[in-house]
Amino acid sequence: MKKVRFTQIEGGQGFWALLAILGAVIVAGLGAVYYMEHNGHWVTGMNNQIVWGMPHVFAIFLIVAASGALNVASIGSVFGKTMYKPLAPLSGLLAITLLAGGLAVLVLDLGRPDRLIVAMTTYNFKSIFAWNVILYTGFMVIVAAYLWTMLDRSMKKFSGKVGFVAFLWRLILTTGTGSIFGFLVSRQAFDEAIMAPMFVVMSFSFGLAAFLLVLMVTYRMTERPLGDAVLFRLKNLLGVFVGGVLYFVLAYHLMNLYATEHHGVEAFILRDGGIFTALFWVVQIGLGSLLPLALLYHPATSKSRSMIATAAALVILGGFAQVYVIVIGGQAYPMTIFPGFEATSSFADGAVNSYSPTLAEVLLGFAGIAITLAATAVALKLLRFLPESLGDEQVVAKAEDSAAVKAAA
Amino acid sequence: MSEQMHPDFSRREFLSQSAKLAAGVSLASGVMLYGVAEAKPSAEAVTSKVRWGMLIDTNKCSSGCDACVKGCNEWNGLKDHGRPQTDAQWIRKVDLRNKGTGSVHSLPMMCQHCEKPPCADVCPTGASFKRADGIVLVDKHICIGCRYCIMACPYKARSFIHEDVTDQRPHAPRGKGTVEACTMCVTRVDEGQRPACVEACNTDGHKAIIFGDLNDPNSEIAQTVKTYATTAIRADLGLNPGVRYRGI
């Protein structure tokens, strides 16, 4: 059996330049946080009608992608697909760093980020937010343990069991994230049980797209071989996940379109919502779903590395648009407080709420991405996360060996 | 928050003095037509034997009048920063027009003090809570400013404090980065007074809001809701708000 050698990445000039750029983005984001917290949130685009804005779009995207990034490891250890096993350490690492980036954005946007310790110690267990605090910290701990079983030979025997727990935990975690919206009985765009499974499938898609991009960029930058076998397997899987998200989006809107009480919010998102309608059809569905599907499966593009990378980037772009439409679009649509009445007031009753994200909010969001990437890069430099080669002869030989061992057993 | 309060006298002293003053004014102007309740001794715990509520008669509420809003803002020290998108509104006037019949109504909208408040359900730290007597409040000391309660409230009753707050009223502590809403003027209620909006509406001569104990069968509010058809807004949600309406 051909052995996979895991090594640290070499810290050349490119590595340090990357860290410097990411560091600058993080510093800019922290500056934005100081500006927003010092003045108060009135300097942001958020207000009393759109209370969750751009930071939440970034945070939710990253948190959802985090649990999805772990899928590659799960496929290896829970579902026994040997080809994925060499990818497991990077998968676990990305799961942790994506979550860290997302949580950083979420926490730094709080009205009182200085009270984080209150959130960690005072729980209302009926709140899905409180559950999420436990789910997020638990995820970090479990995936860290999972990584330990991968990297420490003496712990390897626990890898399967810990991997299974991590897999279950990540499903619960994304169910919790989707439930943040599913549990909101007051708002016409939310209050749907389908939110939870839809977020789970979104996580599969966003997480794998992020993993694929990081894998391709890292192997290119470090000049390590990355064979077609691994890459094509992953890109086919990405296509399946993108299709899965489309199915849930279709089911969500079909259900809403059937019920008269939801016609207003559907007309808003699908037809009359201006920026939200454009984001939904053009970015989420067109650029973020249909185009990647075509790129990933069409014979003319499906074997091209640049096209596969483009498709993954488009899935991420579409994912951001999807979260934006869900989070901001759901708040922009006027809340139905008095069914059957037209309402007007000084507090935007009956009016479509507008939101213009400010630079500070966007900088905070990008700082979250930078935290993810910087933490990933540093970890890859310090620990042996990456196989020296994911070339076809390496990966396919290993998979065949493993199959042969199993057959013999 | 507390450091911004008046340093010269204690909060309790201020409350007892201002309550006496308010009671005197009310009696002098003759608007205390109904006994609300005896002031609860400060050492006595709040009890669920009482359920404070309001009944708003939209037939008596006129479209151009915002006396209740002014009364609330004045008592609770809410200021207008000229930024309507982010300025706090604990109570607002809503004008309604029935899409089918064309009938028009005007009413004040504020925290509905639900029996099962969604804001308290979703609050991760328990900062949003309901007192035993039905008043829904925010504990400003443990609110982390996540705004999930604003997302959850079906009445848009809550505001986030988007800037530093100066010249606060000692009985209505506020703080940048936390969420707040109508408190049903809880300190006034504890002193046996009616909420500021109710007083303002009465002073203005509309008398559109009845405040009282829904659990006391002899109270005016309990008698009225028993006799006449009244409405809970978004009754479909099953939250059993303490604020009810007549005429819509």
Side-chain angles (χ1 to χ4, degrees), chain A residues 37-38 47-48 52 109 115 124 127 180 340 342 344 346-347 349, chain B residues 85 89 92 95 97 99 120 122-124 140 143 146-148 160 176:
Chain A
E37 296 294 339
H38 178 73
N47 52 53
N48 277 326
W52 286 352
D109 177 74
R115 289 184 180 166
N124 163 29
S127 167
I180 290 173
E342 286 168 2
T344 51
S346 58
F347 207 56
D349 282 276
Chain B
Q85 293 277 312
Q89 295 194 32
R92 65 188 188 272
D95 286 313
R97 184 181 163 280
K99 286 183 208 167
V122 302
C123 177
K140 302 292 170 53
C143 172
C146 72
R147 288 101 84 194
Y148 196 19
F160 181 66
K176 178 174 79 175

PDB file of all heavy atoms in Angstrom, chain A residues 37-38 47-48 52 109 115 124 127 180 340 342 344 346-347 349, chain B residues 85 89 92 95 97 99 120 122-124 140 143 146-148 160 176:
ATOM      1  N   GLU A  37     -18.566  50.456  16.743  1.00  0.00           N
ATOM      2  CA  GLU A  37     -18.895  50.314  18.163  1.00  0.00           C
ATOM      3  C   GLU A  37     -18.749  51.643  18.896  1.00  0.00           C
ATOM      4  O   GLU A  37     -19.483  51.932  19.833  1.00  0.00           O
ATOM      5  CB  GLU A  37     -18.013  49.236  18.825  1.00  0.00           C
ATOM      6  CG  GLU A  37     -18.227  47.838  18.266  1.00  0.00           C
ATOM      7  CD  GLU A  37     -19.626  47.283  18.565  1.00  0.00           C
ATOM      8  OE1 GLU A  37     -20.276  47.764  19.503  1.00  0.00           O
ATOM      9  OE2 GLU A  37     -20.053  46.368  17.832  1.00  0.00           O
ATOM     10  N   HIS A  38     -17.774  52.454  18.476  1.00  0.00           N
ATOM     11  CA  HIS A  38     -17.556  53.739  19.132  1.00  0.00           C
ATOM     12  C   HIS A  38     -18.733  54.680  18.872  1.00  0.00           C
ATOM     13  O   HIS A  38     -19.252  55.328  19.779  1.00  0.00           O
ATOM     14  CB  HIS A  38     -16.250  54.371  18.632  1.00  0.00           C
ATOM     15  CG  HIS A  38     -15.978  55.710  19.236  1.00  0.00           C
ATOM     16  ND1 HIS A  38     -15.583  55.862  20.547  1.00  0.00           N
ATOM     17  CD2 HIS A  38     -16.075  56.961  18.717  1.00  0.00           C
ATOM     18  CE1 HIS A  38     -15.448  57.155  20.805  1.00  0.00           C
ATOM     19  NE2 HIS A  38     -15.743  57.848  19.711  1.00  0.00           N
ATOM     20  N   ASN A  47     -30.614  49.355  10.630  1.00  0.00           N
ATOM     21  CA  ASN A  47     -31.498  50.269  11.357  1.00  0.00           C
ATOM     22  C   ASN A  47     -32.527  49.448  12.120  1.00  0.00           C
ATOM     23  O   ASN A  47     -32.351  48.241  12.274  1.00  0.00           O
ATOM     24  CB  ASN A  47     -32.160  51.244  10.378  1.00  0.00           C
ATOM     25  CG  ASN A  47     -32.825  50.504   9.218  1.00  0.00           C
ATOM     26  OD1 ASN A  47     -33.625  49.596   9.436  1.00  0.00           O
ATOM     27  ND2 ASN A  47     -32.472  50.879   7.989  1.00  0.00           N
ATOM     28  N   ASN A  48     -33.588  50.095  12.575  1.00  0.00           N
ATOM     29  CA  ASN A  48     -34.568  49.373  13.392  1.00  0.00           C
ATOM     30  C   ASN A  48     -35.466  48.446  12.579  1.00  0.00           C
ATOM     31  O   ASN A  48     -36.237  47.668  13.152  1.00  0.00           O
ATOM     32  CB  ASN A  48     -35.424  50.360  14.197  1.00  0.00           C
ATOM     33  CG  ASN A  48     -34.717  50.773  15.471  1.00  0.00           C
ATOM     34  OD1 ASN A  48     -33.999  49.975  16.081  1.00  0.00           O
ATOM     35  ND2 ASN A  48     -34.884  52.024  15.866  1.00  0.00           N
ATOM     36  N   TRP A  52     -30.434  43.049  10.982  1.00  0.00           N
ATOM     37  CA  TRP A  52     -29.300  42.193  10.619  1.00  0.00           C
ATOM     38  C   TRP A  52     -28.883  42.554   9.202  1.00  0.00           C
ATOM     39  O   TRP A  52     -29.691  42.480   8.274  1.00  0.00           O
ATOM     40  CB  TRP A  52     -29.685  40.720  10.695  1.00  0.00           C
ATOM     41  CG  TRP A  52     -29.813  40.211  12.098  1.00  0.00           C
ATOM     42  CD1 TRP A  52     -29.480  40.870  13.248  1.00  0.00           C
ATOM     43  CD2 TRP A  52     -30.307  38.923  12.502  1.00  0.00           C
ATOM     44  NE1 TRP A  52     -29.742  40.080  14.347  1.00  0.00           N
ATOM     45  CE2 TRP A  52     -30.246  38.888  13.916  1.00  0.00           C
ATOM     46  CE3 TRP A  52     -30.777  37.825  11.825  1.00  0.00           C
ATOM     47  CZ2 TRP A  52     -30.646  37.772  14.647  1.00  0.00           C
ATOM     48  CZ3 TRP A  52     -31.179  36.720  12.550  1.00  0.00           C
ATOM     49  CH2 TRP A  52     -31.112  36.689  13.951  1.00  0.00           C
ATOM     50  N   ASP A 109     -20.084  42.253  15.620  1.00  0.00           N
ATOM     51  CA  ASP A 109     -21.198  43.124  15.249  1.00  0.00           C
ATOM     52  C   ASP A 109     -22.204  43.297  16.392  1.00  0.00           C
ATOM     53  O   ASP A 109     -23.118  44.107  16.295  1.00  0.00           O
ATOM     54  CB  ASP A 109     -21.929  42.577  14.018  1.00  0.00           C
ATOM     55  CG  ASP A 109     -23.133  43.440  13.690  1.00  0.00           C
ATOM     56  OD1 ASP A 109     -22.912  44.550  13.186  1.00  0.00           O
ATOM     57  OD2 ASP A 109     -24.273  43.035  13.986  1.00  0.00           O
ATOM     58  N   ARG A 115     -19.718  41.966  26.059  1.00  0.00           N
ATOM     59  CA  ARG A 115     -20.470  41.060  26.930  1.00  0.00           C
ATOM     60  C   ARG A 115     -20.480  39.627  26.407  1.00  0.00           C
ATOM     61  O   ARG A 115     -21.384  38.854  26.718  1.00  0.00           O
ATOM     62  CB  ARG A 115     -21.910  41.551  27.078  1.00  0.00           C
ATOM     63  CG  ARG A 115     -22.008  42.809  27.902  1.00  0.00           C
ATOM     64  CD  ARG A 115     -23.453  43.207  28.097  1.00  0.00           C
ATOM     65  NE  ARG A 115     -23.530  44.411  28.897  1.00  0.00           N
ATOM     66  CZ  ARG A 115     -24.623  45.146  29.020  1.00  0.00           C
ATOM     67  NH1 ARG A 115     -25.717  44.795  28.385  1.00  0.00           N
ATOM     68  NH2 ARG A 115     -24.619  46.231  29.766  1.00  0.00           N
ATOM     69  N   ASN A 124     -30.473  31.017  28.010  1.00  0.00           N
ATOM     70  CA  ASN A 124     -31.904  30.769  27.979  1.00  0.00           C
ATOM     71  C   ASN A 124     -32.086  29.584  27.036  1.00  0.00           C
ATOM     72  O   ASN A 124     -31.963  29.719  25.822  1.00  0.00           O
ATOM     73  CB  ASN A 124     -32.641  32.002  27.458  1.00  0.00           C
ATOM     74  CG  ASN A 124     -34.049  31.675  27.024  1.00  0.00           C
ATOM     75  OD1 ASN A 124     -34.671  30.760  27.553  1.00  0.00           O
ATOM     76  ND2 ASN A 124     -34.561  32.410  26.039  1.00  0.00           N
ATOM     77  N   SER A 127     -33.868  29.390  23.666  1.00  0.00           N
ATOM     78  CA  SER A 127     -33.379  30.161  22.528  1.00  0.00           C
ATOM     79  C   SER A 127     -32.468  29.315  21.651  1.00  0.00           C
ATOM     80  O   SER A 127     -31.496  28.728  22.133  1.00  0.00           O
ATOM     81  CB  SER A 127     -32.614  31.386  23.025  1.00  0.00           C
ATOM     82  OG  SER A 127     -31.886  31.957  21.957  1.00  0.00           O
ATOM     83  N   ILE A 180     -32.645  29.287  13.199  1.00  0.00           N
ATOM     84  CA  ILE A 180     -32.664  30.698  13.605  1.00  0.00           C
ATOM     85  C   ILE A 180     -33.755  31.413  12.808  1.00  0.00           C
ATOM     86  O   ILE A 180     -34.496  32.238  13.334  1.00  0.00           O
ATOM     87  CB  ILE A 180     -31.294  31.358  13.350  1.00  0.00           C
ATOM     88  CG1 ILE A 180     -30.259  30.813  14.331  1.00  0.00           C
ATOM     89  CG2 ILE A 180     -31.381  32.880  13.458  1.00  0.00           C
ATOM     90  CD1 ILE A 180     -28.840  31.280  14.027  1.00  0.00           C
ATOM     91  N   GLY A 340     -55.027  42.265   5.991  1.00  0.00           N
ATOM     92  CA  GLY A 340     -56.240  42.842   5.408  1.00  0.00           C
ATOM     93  C   GLY A 340     -56.266  44.363   5.422  1.00  0.00           C
ATOM     94  O   GLY A 340     -57.164  44.978   4.868  1.00  0.00           O
ATOM     95  N   GLU A 342     -54.094  48.192   4.941  1.00  0.00           N
ATOM     96  CA  GLU A 342     -52.905  48.939   4.543  1.00  0.00           C
ATOM     97  C   GLU A 342     -52.478  49.747   5.750  1.00  0.00           C
ATOM     98  O   GLU A 342     -53.299  50.433   6.352  1.00  0.00           O
ATOM     99  CB  GLU A 342     -53.238  49.905   3.399  1.00  0.00           C
ATOM    100  CG  GLU A 342     -53.433  49.231   2.065  1.00  0.00           C
ATOM    101  CD  GLU A 342     -54.053  50.171   1.035  1.00  0.00           C
ATOM    102  OE1 GLU A 342     -54.283  51.354   1.354  1.00  0.00           O
ATOM    103  OE2 GLU A 342     -54.316  49.693  -0.071  1.00  0.00           O
ATOM    104  N   THR A 344     -49.771  52.537   7.659  1.00  0.00           N
ATOM    105  CA  THR A 344     -48.712  53.554   7.545  1.00  0.00           C
ATOM    106  C   THR A 344     -48.374  54.051   8.942  1.00  0.00           C
ATOM    107  O   THR A 344     -49.249  54.108   9.818  1.00  0.00           O
ATOM    108  CB  THR A 344     -49.156  54.770   6.699  1.00  0.00           C
ATOM    109  OG1 THR A 344     -50.412  55.228   7.195  1.00  0.00           O
ATOM    110  CG2 THR A 344     -49.261  54.441   5.229  1.00  0.00           C
ATOM    111  N   SER A 346     -44.873  56.124  11.427  1.00  0.00           N
ATOM    112  CA  SER A 346     -43.528  56.706  11.454  1.00  0.00           C
ATOM    113  C   SER A 346     -42.463  55.622  11.596  1.00  0.00           C
ATOM    114  O   SER A 346     -41.275  55.905  11.577  1.00  0.00           O
ATOM    115  CB  SER A 346     -43.426  57.670  12.635  1.00  0.00           C
ATOM    116  OG  SER A 346     -43.722  56.968  13.836  1.00  0.00           O
ATOM    117  N   PHE A 347     -42.879  54.358  11.775  1.00  0.00           N
ATOM    118  CA  PHE A 347     -41.941  53.263  12.017  1.00  0.00           C
ATOM    119  C   PHE A 347     -41.982  52.269  10.863  1.00  0.00           C
ATOM    120  O   PHE A 347     -41.799  51.072  11.042  1.00  0.00           O
ATOM    121  CB  PHE A 347     -42.297  52.576  13.338  1.00  0.00           C
ATOM    122  CG  PHE A 347     -41.126  51.913  14.031  1.00  0.00           C
ATOM    123  CD1 PHE A 347     -39.986  52.620  14.365  1.00  0.00           C
ATOM    124  CD2 PHE A 347     -41.179  50.569  14.375  1.00  0.00           C
ATOM    125  CE1 PHE A 347     -38.921  52.007  15.021  1.00  0.00           C
ATOM    126  CE2 PHE A 347     -40.123  49.941  15.034  1.00  0.00           C
ATOM    127  CZ  PHE A 347     -38.990  50.666  15.352  1.00  0.00           C
ATOM    128  N   ASP A 349     -44.308  50.991   9.064  1.00  0.00           N
ATOM    129  CA  ASP A 349     -45.351  49.972   8.916  1.00  0.00           C
ATOM    130  C   ASP A 349     -45.830  49.966   7.469  1.00  0.00           C
ATOM    131  O   ASP A 349     -46.073  51.025   6.884  1.00  0.00           O
ATOM    132  CB  ASP A 349     -46.519  50.272   9.853  1.00  0.00           C
ATOM    133  CG  ASP A 349     -46.214  49.856  11.273  1.00  0.00           C
ATOM    134  OD1 ASP A 349     -46.409  48.681  11.597  1.00  0.00           O
ATOM    135  OD2 ASP A 349     -45.749  50.719  12.049  1.00  0.00           O
TER     136      ASP A 349
ATOM    137  N   GLN B  85     -34.778  56.323  10.801  1.00  0.00           N
ATOM    138  CA  GLN B  85     -34.486  54.897  10.593  1.00  0.00           C
ATOM    139  C   GLN B  85     -33.908  54.236  11.847  1.00  0.00           C
ATOM    140  O   GLN B  85     -34.095  53.046  12.060  1.00  0.00           O
ATOM    141  CB  GLN B  85     -33.475  54.732   9.452  1.00  0.00           C
ATOM    142  CG  GLN B  85     -34.013  55.118   8.088  1.00  0.00           C
ATOM    143  CD  GLN B  85     -34.805  53.992   7.454  1.00  0.00           C
ATOM    144  OE1 GLN B  85     -34.359  52.864   7.420  1.00  0.00           O
ATOM    145  NE2 GLN B  85     -35.996  54.288   6.981  1.00  0.00           N
ATOM    146  N   GLN B  89     -38.362  54.050  18.954  1.00  0.00           N
ATOM    147  CA  GLN B  89     -39.788  54.349  19.107  1.00  0.00           C
ATOM    148  C   GLN B  89     -40.404  53.257  19.963  1.00  0.00           C
ATOM    149  O   GLN B  89     -40.513  52.121  19.523  1.00  0.00           O
ATOM    150  CB  GLN B  89     -40.491  54.407  17.743  1.00  0.00           C
ATOM    151  CG  GLN B  89     -40.018  55.535  16.853  1.00  0.00           C
ATOM    152  CD  GLN B  89     -40.969  55.766  15.668  1.00  0.00           C
ATOM    153  OE1 GLN B  89     -42.169  55.567  15.760  1.00  0.00           O
ATOM    154  NE2 GLN B  89     -40.404  56.208  14.554  1.00  0.00           N
ATOM    155  N   ARG B  92     -45.856  53.991  18.712  1.00  0.00           N
ATOM    156  CA  ARG B  92     -46.037  54.741  17.470  1.00  0.00           C
ATOM    157  C   ARG B  92     -47.511  54.740  17.102  1.00  0.00           C
ATOM    158  O   ARG B  92     -48.256  53.854  17.529  1.00  0.00           O
ATOM    159  CB  ARG B  92     -45.223  54.088  16.349  1.00  0.00           C
ATOM    160  CG  ARG B  92     -45.694  52.688  15.979  1.00  0.00           C
ATOM    161  CD  ARG B  92     -44.751  52.011  15.009  1.00  0.00           C
ATOM    162  NE  ARG B  92     -45.243  50.751  14.486  1.00  0.00           N
ATOM    163  CZ  ARG B  92     -45.075  49.566  15.044  1.00  0.00           C
ATOM    164  NH1 ARG B  92     -44.439  49.473  16.206  1.00  0.00           N
ATOM    165  NH2 ARG B  92     -45.553  48.478  14.479  1.00  0.00           N
ATOM    166  N   ASP B  95     -51.744  54.246  11.194  1.00  0.00           N
ATOM    167  CA  ASP B  95     -53.004  54.497  10.494  1.00  0.00           C
ATOM    168  C   ASP B  95     -53.302  53.302   9.596  1.00  0.00           C
ATOM    169  O   ASP B  95     -52.439  52.847   8.839  1.00  0.00           O
ATOM    170  CB  ASP B  95     -52.909  55.775   9.665  1.00  0.00           C
ATOM    171  CG  ASP B  95     -52.949  57.007  10.561  1.00  0.00           C
ATOM    172  OD1 ASP B  95     -53.833  57.056  11.448  1.00  0.00           O
ATOM    173  OD2 ASP B  95     -52.093  57.894  10.407  1.00  0.00           O
ATOM    174  N   ARG B  97     -56.042  51.246   6.873  1.00  0.00           N
ATOM    175  CA  ARG B  97     -57.160  51.328   5.928  1.00  0.00           C
ATOM    176  C   ARG B  97     -57.485  49.917   5.478  1.00  0.00           C
ATOM    177  O   ARG B  97     -56.615  49.201   4.964  1.00  0.00           O
ATOM    178  CB  ARG B  97     -56.770  52.190   4.731  1.00  0.00           C
ATOM    179  CG  ARG B  97     -57.896  52.399   3.743  1.00  0.00           C
ATOM    180  CD  ARG B  97     -57.459  53.249   2.560  1.00  0.00           C
ATOM    181  NE  ARG B  97     -58.405  53.081   1.471  1.00  0.00           N
ATOM    182  CZ  ARG B  97     -58.426  52.043   0.632  1.00  0.00           C
ATOM    183  NH1 ARG B  97     -57.533  51.089   0.738  1.00  0.00           N
ATOM    184  NH2 ARG B  97     -59.333  51.956  -0.308  1.00  0.00           N
ATOM    185  N   LYS B  99     -58.408  47.103   3.308  1.00  0.00           N
ATOM    186  CA  LYS B  99     -58.288  46.974   1.852  1.00  0.00           C
ATOM    187  C   LYS B  99     -59.621  46.615   1.210  1.00  0.00           C
ATOM    188  O   LYS B  99     -59.898  47.002   0.082  1.00  0.00           O
ATOM    189  CB  LYS B  99     -57.269  45.883   1.510  1.00  0.00           C
ATOM    190  CG  LYS B  99     -55.838  46.287   1.744  1.00  0.00           C
ATOM    191  CD  LYS B  99     -54.912  45.150   1.301  1.00  0.00           C
ATOM    192  CE  LYS B  99     -53.633  45.167   2.086  1.00  0.00           C
ATOM    193  NZ  LYS B  99     -52.855  43.934   1.923  1.00  0.00           N
ATOM    194  N   ALA B 120     -38.766  36.904  24.294  1.00  0.00           N
ATOM    195  CA  ALA B 120     -38.142  36.226  25.433  1.00  0.00           C
ATOM    196  C   ALA B 120     -37.741  34.801  25.056  1.00  0.00           C
ATOM    197  O   ALA B 120     -36.725  34.283  25.530  1.00  0.00           O
ATOM    198  CB  ALA B 120     -39.095  36.212  26.619  1.00  0.00           C
ATOM    199  N   VAL B 122     -36.593  33.756  22.147  1.00  0.00           N
ATOM    200  CA  VAL B 122     -35.392  33.686  21.310  1.00  0.00           C
ATOM    201  C   VAL B 122     -34.161  34.302  21.963  1.00  0.00           C
ATOM    202  O   VAL B 122     -33.037  34.057  21.522  1.00  0.00           O
ATOM    203  CB  VAL B 122     -35.610  34.353  19.930  1.00  0.00           C
ATOM    204  CG1 VAL B 122     -36.770  33.716  19.195  1.00  0.00           C
ATOM    205  CG2 VAL B 122     -35.795  35.855  20.055  1.00  0.00           C
ATOM    206  N   CYS B 123     -34.347  35.080  23.015  1.00  0.00           N
ATOM    207  CA  CYS B 123     -33.211  35.788  23.629  1.00  0.00           C
ATOM    208  C   CYS B 123     -32.181  34.804  24.184  1.00  0.00           C
ATOM    209  O   CYS B 123     -32.507  33.996  25.059  1.00  0.00           O
ATOM    210  CB  CYS B 123     -33.698  36.697  24.747  1.00  0.00           C
ATOM    211  SG  CYS B 123     -32.350  37.532  25.600  1.00  0.00           S
ATOM    212  N   PRO B 124     -30.939  34.831  23.694  1.00  0.00           N
ATOM    213  CA  PRO B 124     -29.975  33.809  24.117  1.00  0.00           C
ATOM    214  C   PRO B 124     -29.592  33.893  25.593  1.00  0.00           C
ATOM    215  O   PRO B 124     -29.285  32.875  26.201  1.00  0.00           O
ATOM    216  CB  PRO B 124     -28.752  34.067  23.222  1.00  0.00           C
ATOM    217  CG  PRO B 124     -28.896  35.479  22.766  1.00  0.00           C
ATOM    218  CD  PRO B 124     -30.368  35.751  22.692  1.00  0.00           C
ATOM    219  N   LYS B 140     -31.132  45.257  30.856  1.00  0.00           N
ATOM    220  CA  LYS B 140     -30.080  45.944  30.097  1.00  0.00           C
ATOM    221  C   LYS B 140     -28.679  45.483  30.502  1.00  0.00           C
ATOM    222  O   LYS B 140     -27.707  45.781  29.824  1.00  0.00           O
ATOM    223  CB  LYS B 140     -30.184  47.456  30.278  1.00  0.00           C
ATOM    224  CG  LYS B 140     -31.518  48.053  29.870  1.00  0.00           C
ATOM    225  CD  LYS B 140     -31.725  47.960  28.370  1.00  0.00           C
ATOM    226  CE  LYS B 140     -33.123  48.326  27.963  1.00  0.00           C
ATOM    227  NZ  LYS B 140     -33.572  49.610  28.465  1.00  0.00           N
ATOM    228  N   CYS B 143     -28.244  42.126  28.197  1.00  0.00           N
ATOM    229  CA  CYS B 143     -28.537  42.179  26.756  1.00  0.00           C
ATOM    230  C   CYS B 143     -27.209  42.348  26.027  1.00  0.00           C
ATOM    231  O   CYS B 143     -26.430  43.247  26.334  1.00  0.00           O
ATOM    232  CB  CYS B 143     -29.466  43.353  26.451  1.00  0.00           C
ATOM    233  SG  CYS B 143     -29.695  43.630  24.679  1.00  0.00           S
ATOM    234  N   CYS B 146     -27.788  41.405  20.289  1.00  0.00           N
ATOM    235  CA  CYS B 146     -27.793  40.544  19.090  1.00  0.00           C
ATOM    236  C   CYS B 146     -28.980  40.844  18.179  1.00  0.00           C
ATOM    237  O   CYS B 146     -28.979  40.469  17.018  1.00  0.00           O
ATOM    238  CB  CYS B 146     -27.770  39.067  19.468  1.00  0.00           C
ATOM    239  SG  CYS B 146     -29.311  38.433  20.155  1.00  0.00           S
ATOM    240  N   ARG B 147     -30.019  41.477  18.710  1.00  0.00           N
ATOM    241  CA  ARG B 147     -31.214  41.903  17.947  1.00  0.00           C
ATOM    242  C   ARG B 147     -32.093  40.752  17.473  1.00  0.00           C
ATOM    243  O   ARG B 147     -32.946  40.946  16.608  1.00  0.00           O
ATOM    244  CB  ARG B 147     -30.820  42.779  16.733  1.00  0.00           C
ATOM    245  CG  ARG B 147     -30.357  44.153  17.060  1.00  0.00           C
ATOM    246  CD  ARG B 147     -28.849  44.261  17.010  1.00  0.00           C
ATOM    247  NE  ARG B 147     -28.333  44.497  15.678  1.00  0.00           N
ATOM    248  CZ  ARG B 147     -27.054  44.361  15.339  1.00  0.00           C
ATOM    249  NH1 ARG B 147     -26.170  44.004  16.268  1.00  0.00           N
ATOM    250  NH2 ARG B 147     -26.658  44.588  14.125  1.00  0.00           N
ATOM    251  N   TYR B 148     -31.862  39.559  18.016  1.00  0.00           N
ATOM    252  CA  TYR B 148     -32.718  38.440  17.607  1.00  0.00           C
ATOM    253  C   TYR B 148     -34.161  38.696  18.057  1.00  0.00           C
ATOM    254  O   TYR B 148     -35.112  38.307  17.383  1.00  0.00           O
ATOM    255  CB  TYR B 148     -32.178  37.130  18.197  1.00  0.00           C
ATOM    256  CG  TYR B 148     -32.712  35.853  17.569  1.00  0.00           C
ATOM    257  CD1 TYR B 148     -33.308  35.842  16.313  1.00  0.00           C
ATOM    258  CD2 TYR B 148     -32.587  34.637  18.244  1.00  0.00           C
ATOM    259  CE1 TYR B 148     -33.777  34.661  15.752  1.00  0.00           C
ATOM    260  CE2 TYR B 148     -33.043  33.453  17.687  1.00  0.00           C
ATOM    261  CZ  TYR B 148     -33.642  33.465  16.443  1.00  0.00           C
ATOM    262  OH  TYR B 148     -34.103  32.282  15.897  1.00  0.00           O
ATOM    263  N   PHE B 160     -33.425  49.189  18.691  1.00  0.00           N
ATOM    264  CA  PHE B 160     -32.026  48.995  19.084  1.00  0.00           C
ATOM    265  C   PHE B 160     -31.433  50.386  19.321  1.00  0.00           C
ATOM    266  O   PHE B 160     -31.747  51.316  18.569  1.00  0.00           O
ATOM    267  CB  PHE B 160     -31.296  48.275  17.945  1.00  0.00           C
ATOM    268  CG  PHE B 160     -29.852  47.972  18.196  1.00  0.00           C
ATOM    269  CD1 PHE B 160     -29.476  47.071  19.180  1.00  0.00           C
ATOM    270  CD2 PHE B 160     -28.862  48.562  17.425  1.00  0.00           C
ATOM    271  CE1 PHE B 160     -28.144  46.775  19.400  1.00  0.00           C
ATOM    272  CE2 PHE B 160     -27.530  48.275  17.639  1.00  0.00           C
ATOM    273  CZ  PHE B 160     -27.167  47.374  18.628  1.00  0.00           C
ATOM    274  N   LYS B 176     -26.466  52.318  24.883  1.00  0.00           N
ATOM    275  CA  LYS B 176     -26.067  52.054  23.491  1.00  0.00           C
ATOM    276  C   LYS B 176     -25.747  50.573  23.301  1.00  0.00           C
ATOM    277  O   LYS B 176     -25.074  49.973  24.131  1.00  0.00           O
ATOM    278  CB  LYS B 176     -24.834  52.893  23.147  1.00  0.00           C
ATOM    279  CG  LYS B 176     -24.321  52.658  21.731  1.00  0.00           C
ATOM    280  CD  LYS B 176     -23.199  53.599  21.372  1.00  0.00           C
ATOM    281  CE  LYS B 176     -21.874  53.160  21.965  1.00  0.00           C
ATOM    282  NZ  LYS B 176     -20.753  53.992  21.521  1.00  0.00           N
TER     283      LYS B 176
END
